[in-house]
Amino acid sequence: MSVYLLVLFLALLLHDGKAILESQGCNSADAERAAEEAVEQINRDKTDGYILALNRLYDLSHTSNQETGSSVYNLTIDVLETQCHTISRKPWKQCEVRGIGDIPVYGECQVSVQVDAQVKLESYSCALREVAATAVVHVCPDCPTADNLNEPVIKETAKLSLQKFNKESRLANYFTLENITKASSQWVIGPAYFVEFTVLETVCSKETDVSELAHCPPMNCQFVSRISVT
């Protein structure tokens, strides 16, 4: 990614997750409502990853149905990834957008919604990508940069972090690793590694002997606890 795009991304962050409405027709209250509610419904549909925040609505077309009073909006919107995992189910306006030191992710969504008394998401397609590490380092040389989730050192970091989570947790049962969702590294005195991951509650008490933990399956029920750990 060019430095120009990174500067543009940083400029987008300054809007604190508020929608910027551009081009003719995008500045209507209905268009803003459609875009904001569309992102809310996209986040509710997501089962993994992180909640997205609406940053900019920059293309719009719509058709009206005179008989029903409804309209269909086709929107192109910029989104920014927040620090809230989809597990949290928080509204996107309550989530902080990832900064330059938090492996920032940006993208574009093509959205179709029907608007009348309510906004109904008809379809969507989003393309997301991380800001390139070289671009991040150019602007912030000391910031952490993304690492491969499959690197042995990342897996070991997640293992140690999971042990710490279970030790400090006040929950009754042992939790096992589900997915590593983010990984980054930073040179301080030496290399430092950071991970974000999700965990699942198992059938085993947290007092279970260490030698038996490998045989602790996740709970198989509708209300099993699933937690995002940072």
Side-chain angles (χ1 to χ4, degrees):
M1 171 186 290
S2 68
V3 174
Y4 167 77
L5 287 179
L6 180 61
V7 172
L8 175 61
F9 174 83
L10 292 174
L12 297 181
L13 292 179
L14 297 178
H15 295 285
D16 297 327
K18 295 180 180 178
I20 308 166
L21 304 177
E22 295 185 353
S23 82
Q24 185 175 8
C26 290
N27 59 351
S28 71
D30 281 347
E32 180 175 2
R33 173 181 169 231
E36 292 188 348
E37 183 58 30
V39 173
E40 199 68 68
Q41 293 183 34
I42 288 171
N43 286 321
R44 286 202 293 267
D45 188 59
K46 284 164 61 70
T47 58
D48 56 15
Y50 294 83
I51 288 173
L52 303 175
L54 170 63
N55 184 74
R56 184 175 58 144
L57 166 61
Y58 66 89
D59 194 18
L60 158 70
S61 66
H62 80 280
T63 57
S64 299
N65 186 320
Q66 299 296 330
E67 293 183 0
T68 64
S70 65
S71 297
V72 174
Y73 284 80
N74 295 305
L75 312 172
T76 303
I77 55 180
D78 281 339
V79 292
L80 300 174
E81 190 177 84
T82 73
Q83 295 180 5
C84 298
H85 196 277
T86 54
I87 291 173
S88 71
R89 294 302 175 192
K90 287 185 176 180
W92 63 265
K93 290 185 179 181
Q94 295 181 13
C95 294
E96 184 176 351
V97 170
R98 288 185 179 275
I100 193 65
D102 298 317
I103 316 180
V105 172
Y106 68 104
E108 178 182 285
C109 293
Q110 303 288 337
V111 179
S112 177
V113 294
Q114 180 175 306
V115 179
D116 44 35
Q118 296 181 330
V119 176
K120 181 183 179 183
L121 181 67
E122 298 287 345
S123 64
Y124 72 93
S125 175
C126 296
L128 304 176
R129 46 204 170 273
E130 290 181 353
V131 174
T134 52
V136 171
V137 170
H138 184 88
V139 174
C140 179
D142 296 326
C143 285
T145 54
D147 266 329
N148 189 322
L149 303 184
N150 294 316
E151 287 291 332
V153 66
I154 296 302
K155 293 182 178 181
E156 181 63 20
T157 302
K159 178 182 176 181
L160 294 174
S161 298
L162 176 63
Q163 291 175 358
K164 183 175 184 289
F165 170 82
N166 278 306
K167 181 179 179 180
E168 297 178 353
S169 169
R170 295 184 179 181
L171 301 170
N173 285 3
Y174 173 78
F175 280 71
T176 188
L177 179 67
E178 182 186 29
N179 289 309
I180 301 174
T181 54
K182 291 280 183 182
S184 60
S185 61
Q186 180 182 28
W187 188 269
V188 189
I189 298 175
Y193 298 93
F194 312 94
V195 292
E196 298 178 23
F197 53 93
T198 56
V199 294
L200 288 173
E201 185 178 8
T202 72
V203 299
C204 297
S205 162
K206 65 182 300 183
E207 305 303 325
T208 302
D209 189 89
V210 175
S211 62
E212 299 296 324
L213 293 180
H215 306 291
C216 293
M219 284 188 172
N220 185 20
C221 67
Q222 181 180 359
F223 302 106
V224 61
S225 295
R226 184 172 178 239
I227 300 173
S228 176
V229 182
T230 59

